[in-house]
């Protein structure tokens, strides 16, 4: 978990820089993640889960690594 939390800590500040590439390559209106804002919320919420699991010394279940 500490490695995953460390990767997230480095990636999170760079997330906004993906806005334009996401719009160009991945935006899909009408799908379950329509735009960058929804994508960003999903990643940030998972970041909270990862950070809290690492803080507690826990792991995540069901994620293939």
């Amino acid at each position: 978990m500490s490695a995953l939390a460390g990767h997230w800590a480095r990636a999170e500040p760079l997330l906004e820089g993906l806005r334009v590439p996401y719009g160009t390559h991945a935006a899909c209106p009408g799908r379950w993640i329509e735009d960058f804002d929804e994508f960003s919320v999903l990643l940030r919420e998972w970041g909270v889960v990862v950070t809290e699991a690492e803080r507690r010394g826990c792991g995540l279940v069901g994620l293939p690594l």
Side-chain angles (χ1 to χ4, degrees), residues 5-51:
H7 290 306
W8 173 246
R10 288 186 299 281
E12 195 275 333
L14 306 172
L15 190 57
E16 191 60 34
L18 296 176
R19 181 176 291 278
V20 172
Y22 187 93
T24 301
H25 301 289
C28 195
R31 302 293 299 263
W32 72 283
I33 297 179
E34 291 195 17
D35 57 25
F36 180 80
D37 292 328
E38 289 183 12
F39 172 71
S40 176
V41 167
L42 176 67
L43 287 185
R44 290 179 199 282
E45 288 175 353
W46 264 108
V48 169
V49 170
V50 167
T51 302

